[in-house]
Amino acid sequence: MIHCIFCKIASGAIPCTKVWENKKYLAFLDINPITPGHTLLIPKKHHDYIFDMNDEEYNELMGIAKKLSVKIKKSMNSKKIGMMVEGFLVHHTHIHLIPLQKAGDLNTENAKKESPERLTVIAEKIKAGEI
Ligand code: 5GP
Ligand code: ZN
């Protein structure tokens, strides 16, 4: 998809603060995190609506979300990882994985821009964990 920002991130045409990747999937930090460590997991291949994905890819994506949540939770010292799917701003399937300390933390009104330097520090912390 020529005009899709996440396709451009997946191809490397636009930079991102990468947390993890394999051949088919990529996880990177949201530039407007709701809490520190807020990660976006995407399939590299363009899909719009997550529930239109075929079962195999959907299950793979969810399996990676599960593994990543362990890594993010540990490195960010959070109580839980919240999961959110909206996709009204970017029409390329993505799962938000958001470190939570308490009820109410999963609130898009708390999203605010983070500096690239700070995102890099956080990504390094997450990457140091194992998946
Ligand atoms: P949604 O489509 O789920 O409503 O929101 C899209 C999410 O992608 C937002 O949380 C927004 O901050 C994030 N986002 C939009 N553009 C970029 C980008 O270029 N880089 C990164 N890392 N995140 C982005
Ligand atoms: Zn795309």
Side-chain angles (χ1 to χ4, degrees):
M1 286 279 285
I2 295 174
H3 299 298
C4 173
I5 187 126
F6 285 0
C7 280
K8 287 180 184 163
I9 286 177
S11 73
I14 288 183
C16 69
T17 317
K18 196 183 297 177
V19 164
W20 176 89
E21 76 176 323
N22 70 6
K23 230 173 107 189
K24 291 166 71 180
Y25 303 94
L26 169 69
F28 54 97
L29 295 181
D30 197 304
I31 46 171
N32 303 299
I34 291 175
T35 64
H38 180 168
T39 299
L40 301 174
L41 171 63
I42 66 168
K44 291 184 179 177
K45 188 172 93 183
H46 184 89
H47 289 282
D48 180 344
Y49 185 45
I50 188 168
F51 297 122
D52 283 338
M53 291 177 84
N54 70 44
D55 286 356
E56 189 188 331
E57 288 174 317
Y58 175 82
N59 290 332
E60 256 175 11
L61 187 71
M62 285 297 171
I64 293 166
K66 184 177 178 184
K67 285 184 185 166
L68 269 176
S69 74
V70 176
K71 201 175 161 86
I72 298 167
K73 180 172 171 283
K74 213 164 155 186
S75 49
M76 301 313 296
N77 282 320
S78 62
K79 292 247 164 59
K80 298 193 179 200
I81 297 297
M83 193 163 83
M84 182 176 84
V85 175
E86 282 195 325
F88 286 111
L89 287 175
V90 178
H91 298 268
H92 178 130
T93 291
H94 53 281
I95 297 178
H96 296 257
L97 295 171
I98 301 158
L100 307 175
Q101 297 296 353
K102 58 182 189 318
D105 277 354
L106 194 59
N107 180 352
T108 54
E109 285 180 10
N110 294 337
K112 59 173 190 290
K113 195 157 178 59
E114 186 54 275
S115 70
E117 294 76 20
R118 178 83 189 123
L119 290 178
T120 302
V121 170
I122 292 169
E124 289 307 319
K125 221 173 145 179
I126 297 172
K127 279 195 281 188
E130 286 173 18
I131 184 164

